[in-house]
Amino acid sequence: MFASLVHQSEREYQDHPFVSLQPSSSSSSDDTAIPMLVDGEVEGRDQEDDDWPGKRTEQREPCSSSAVKKVDSSDETKSKSVSKEPNLDGLCCPICMEPWGSQGDHQVSCLPCGHVYGLSCIRRWLQPHLISAKCPQCNANCALKDVRKLYASPVVINDEDLCKKVQSLEAEIGSLKTERADLLHTQDSLLKIQDNLLKELSNLEEKQTCTGNMSFVEMGSKPVGFANVKKAHRAKFEYPFSSNLHKQQLLHCTFILEHELAVEGARLFDMNVSYQNLILARRISGMGGIHMLNKINMINTHENEDIQLPPGTKAVKDLKISPCGRLTLLASLGKKLSILSMGSNNIVTTCDLRVPAWSCAWDLNSPHYIYAGLQNGMLLVFDMRHTINPLQSIVGLTAQPIHTIHSLVHNPILGHDAQKLLTASSLGPCVWSTSSGERPFPVPGLDNQGICTSLAYGPLSDDILASYRPKYNTSIATVNLPSSNQGSSSVPGQGILGSQVLVKRVADSFYHKLGSTFAHLSYVQMVKSAIVNMENCCPLLAYADGVTHGLRLRELPSLTVNQNLKPHHHPILDVKYAHTQGIGMLGCASEDKLQLFSAKMS
């Protein structure tokens, strides 16, 4: 049967000038199969094979970097154009995102609908659903017996736009590699300079103080003490920020309003600057309320698409766009953890949970792992290659919901090599080691601060900022700001005087408290905040002021107010920052308005 399919494929493609297909007999014992490269869709194909009624409905981005062979020796110019641009999409299984093989357990295979997978992955996908099995991409009905192994020579589609895009990306990658090498060299030089300066400062202090004092080098190798921070210890970690010379070299970062959109029922959002798209979770008013998503083009904000959520999803409590920009992770009160394709606007994977999900996150170090924070304080770890059940279910320190999850970035210089997460519940921030499966521990020095309403993390600077409101509302009165002081038509709001505490991650399990300040926070809502990391600028904290209903920026680590942005009529519900290649975008959303700000250095 397979031989007939191959001959029929030959007849289909024999007139195409850029396609070469050679049959391969599966009965020959010494025949070696060649991996099949499949592009998103063959241009000019008018009809499908009667035996394979399915048709590709979406096109994936390239995910690997293997070369493909030339396929048409008669047309030398076109052949060179095609051969320069490898068809990278056809080397990866869309389930596990790993390259498939020409033989073995992960051999390239397909379903009757035409979608291609690794053999072991699609069998594992279909095995639990023997009666109602469906294709993971198009939901076409299929069965385990319908899986067919493929043996074919490379198939290459000439796509001039894709070739130009690949050329541009390759040039950009080369430039980034060169820039990264230069930065690493500069970083090594600066670290050596810093070590020498710290040793000199340590020697000077030893001469001026008694011999019982501890040196910088000794203190740097021990856990940070928060109750009595030595002057020398503080200088070690604050030296880059407190130096007048360093401040003179830093640029001043301000944000300018680029877009202001009227939205109905906005709740939370996320954005990807590389792909210039934004996904917004909304609740449309009406009987019971309708929960839906809205995808917005950040270049032309009038281009947007409504995305209906499956029945039973209920309210979306958290959403995160993947680092690659092609997927969105959704945590909902409908006891579901879902993955949305940004290309097809369809839910491609759904994990049913036992309790509602309050937060979610992608792993910044490994693209396969995703996390869900539950209403009962538990943390679930999933591997996208095994989507049925979680790999780990870790019990938290409290039964309160986990409202925020951040993946901590590995930093070999600071000894960061374990798989760690930073989460927050009303109890405060906690650190989880998912690689060991141990229970979390609270971030040191943040005990008895109040109710934690927000947690921000800056991956580039390892800054952590937790916002707290008082446990007892009677201890600190709420604050009202007269409308005459607003300078705009915004309605004055009511906030409560809380606190913000800044902590820096200085080693794998060591954290250094840099300072704290008072802030007007939301009276009842848990509002997100964000840390802004821009090159050659001090980090900034962006949070929603509970009185003015506008974004307020604080410079870190001084926590001084840097800028107040245009207020909203209603309280801000979510704050996000995204950047790529020196371009930074800051956004905030309230019930009826979405604002996008661009960064400007001076």
Side-chain angles (χ1 to χ4, degrees):
M1 177 180 178
F2 180 77
S4 63
L5 290 176
V6 172
H7 289 305
Q8 185 170 354
S9 298
E10 271 193 307
R11 293 193 300 271
E12 261 188 32
Y13 291 95
Q14 63 185 354
D15 294 331
H16 199 291
F18 299 105
V19 176
S20 174
L21 183 64
Q22 299 175 357
S24 176
S25 174
S26 59
S27 61
S28 178
S29 60
D30 59 348
D31 188 10
T32 302
I34 301 176
M36 180 177 182
L37 307 181
V38 182
D39 202 351
E41 190 171 353
V42 178
E43 297 181 0
R45 185 172 178 178
D46 296 329
Q47 61 182 13
E48 298 287 341
D49 196 320
D50 294 335
D51 294 334
W52 304 88
K55 185 168 63 177
R56 293 190 67 114
T57 58
E58 65 180 76
Q59 186 171 356
R60 301 187 301 278
E61 291 290 331
C63 60
S64 178
S65 59
S66 299
V68 297
K69 301 178 180 179
K70 299 181 182 179
V71 296
D72 193 347
S73 58
S74 62
D75 192 339
E76 183 177 357
T77 303
K78 294 181 179 179
S79 176
K80 290 182 179 180
S81 175
V82 173
S83 61
K84 288 181 181 178
E85 308 304 333
N87 184 2
L88 307 174
D89 185 48
L91 291 178
C92 289
C93 170
I95 294 180
C96 68
M97 306 305 293
E98 294 286 350
W100 47 46
S102 60
Q103 55 188 351
D105 293 340
H106 205 241
Q107 181 174 344
V108 57
S109 306
C110 72
L111 296 177
C113 59
H115 287 104
V116 184
Y117 306 94
L119 181 61
S120 58
C121 290
I122 191 58
R123 282 180 174 175
R124 184 164 58 250
W125 180 277
L126 300 176
Q127 189 68 37
H129 312 286
L130 294 177
I131 300 179
S132 59
K134 294 183 178 180
C135 172
Q137 297 191 56
C138 65
N139 284 335
N141 293 326
C142 57
L144 192 59
K145 63 182 178 62
D146 296 328
V147 178
R148 294 292 183 268
K149 297 181 181 179
L150 297 181
Y151 307 86
S153 58
V155 178
V156 179
I157 307 302
N158 182 36
D159 189 332
E160 294 183 358
D161 293 337
L162 181 60
C163 292
K164 293 179 180 179
K165 183 177 180 181
V166 172
Q167 286 179 345
S168 175
L169 291 176
E170 286 180 344
E172 184 177 342
I173 290 173
S175 175
L176 290 176
K177 286 182 177 179
T178 303
E179 182 179 354
R180 181 177 181 273
D182 295 338
L183 290 174
L184 289 175
H185 178 71
T186 303
Q187 176 180 272
D188 293 338
S189 301
L190 291 175
L191 287 173
K192 291 179 181 179
I193 294 173
Q194 177 177 294
D195 291 339
N196 294 333
L197 290 174
L198 291 174
K199 290 179 181 178
E200 292 180 10
L201 288 173
S202 177
N203 294 332
L204 289 174
E205 186 180 17
E206 287 178 353
K207 295 178 181 179
Q208 296 175 0
T209 59
C210 62
T211 57
N213 287 345
M214 189 178 297
S215 68
F216 283 100
V217 177
E218 292 173 331
M219 298 189 73
S221 62
K222 295 186 177 182
V224 178
F226 293 91
N228 298 305
V229 180
K230 303 292 184 181
K231 181 179 180 181
H233 190 200
R234 185 183 300 113
K236 170 175 179 169
F237 296 103
E238 295 182 2
Y239 173 76
F241 300 100
S242 60
S243 170
N244 292 331
L245 177 62
H246 185 79
K247 284 189 174 182
Q248 291 175 1
Q249 296 174 349
L250 293 178
L251 299 176
H252 181 68
C253 180
T254 58
F255 284 87
I256 302 173
L257 181 63
E258 292 286 346
H259 301 287
E260 187 172 78
L261 308 178
V263 293
E264 178 185 356
R267 288 295 181 267
L268 64 158
F269 72 100
D270 199 7
M271 55 186 174
N272 184 281
V273 180
S274 299
Y275 286 85
Q276 290 293 310
N277 54 29
L278 180 149
I279 192 82
L280 177 72
R282 303 166 57 198
R283 183 182 185 274
I284 307 302
S285 60
M287 192 170 189
I290 300 175
H291 299 281
M292 63 183 301
L293 302 177
N294 190 225
K295 188 170 73 172
I296 301 173
N297 186 326
M298 295 173 62
I299 299 177
N300 184 3
T301 56
H302 298 290
E303 294 183 6
N304 59 81
E305 303 174 71
D306 290 333
I307 303 174
Q308 300 295 330
L309 293 172
T313 303
K314 296 185 179 180
V316 176
K317 291 293 292 183
D318 196 8
L319 60 84
K320 298 287 177 59
I321 298 179
S322 64
C324 69
R326 296 160 53 190
L327 302 171
T328 298
L329 188 62
L330 307 172
S332 68
L333 294 182
K335 302 179 182 180
K336 296 181 184 298
L337 182 68
S338 306
I339 297 179
L340 172 77
S341 170
M342 296 292 285
S344 63
N345 295 341
N346 293 323
I347 300 293
V348 295
T349 300
T350 298
C351 300
D352 294 323
L353 312 175
R354 294 184 178 180
V355 294
W358 273 55
S359 57
C360 59
W362 299 88
D363 194 298
L364 298 181
N365 309 289
S366 176
H368 303 302
Y369 293 100
I370 56 178
Y371 307 98
L374 304 186
Q375 184 172 280
N376 61 1
M378 293 185 64
L379 178 74
L380 301 184
V381 182
F382 290 88
D383 188 336
M384 291 179 62
R385 297 166 293 186
H386 310 279
T387 57
I388 298 178
N389 298 313
L391 294 181
Q392 297 183 63
S393 300
I394 309 176
V395 179
L397 298 179
T398 176
Q400 298 298 322
I402 298 177
H403 59 72
T404 307
I405 301 178
H406 294 291
S407 173
L408 294 178
V409 176
H410 293 173
N411 191 337
I413 297 178
L414 298 179
H416 301 173
D417 53 1
Q419 197 171 2
K420 292 185 178 293
L421 297 176
L422 180 69
T423 70
S425 63
S426 60
L427 181 67
C430 290
V431 179
W432 306 64
S433 179
T434 59
S435 55
S436 64
E438 299 175 355
R439 292 193 66 188
F441 64 87
V443 175
L446 298 181
D447 302 330
N448 302 320
Q449 297 288 334
I451 299 175
C452 181
T453 61
S454 176
L455 179 67
Y457 169 62
L460 299 182
S461 59
D462 265 333
D463 287 314
I464 300 169
L465 194 136
S467 300
Y468 297 88
R469 61 180 175 87
K471 290 184 178 180
Y472 305 101
N473 296 336
T474 56
S475 61
I476 299 180
T478 57
V479 180
N480 289 301
L481 187 66
S483 58
S484 59
N485 295 337
Q486 295 289 327
S488 67
S489 60
S490 63
V491 178
Q494 187 181 62
I496 189 167
L497 191 62
S499 63
Q500 294 174 331
V501 184
L502 176 63
V503 175
K504 179 175 284 289
R505 184 184 180 214
V506 296
D508 192 34
S509 300
F510 303 143
Y511 298 83
H512 174 53
K513 181 178 177 181
L514 296 181
S516 62
T517 187
F518 292 107
H520 295 143
L521 306 176
S522 176
Y523 185 71
V524 291
Q525 296 167 333
M526 291 189 175
V527 181
K528 305 290 185 180
S529 57
I531 289 181
V532 177
N533 287 129
M534 291 290 294
E535 186 178 2
N536 299 325
C537 294
C538 282
L540 299 174
L541 168 69
Y543 72 99
D545 188 278
V547 174
T548 64
H549 294 170
L551 273 186
R552 174 165 288 184
L553 302 178
R554 291 184 182 271
E555 186 177 290
L556 303 180
S558 64
L559 294 172
T560 56
V561 176
N562 175 278
Q563 188 179 6
N564 292 311
L565 301 179
K566 183 179 179 180
H568 291 231
H569 289 275
H570 298 283
I572 292 176
L573 303 177
D574 196 9
V575 180
K576 288 291 192 306
Y577 171 75
H579 72 282
T580 179
Q581 299 180 6
I583 301 175
M585 292 293 293
L586 179 65
C588 62
S590 61
E591 185 177 338
D592 62 346
K593 186 184 297 183
L594 173 67
Q595 290 179 335
L596 297 177
F597 302 86
S598 63
K600 180 181 179 181
M601 272 80 71
S602 59

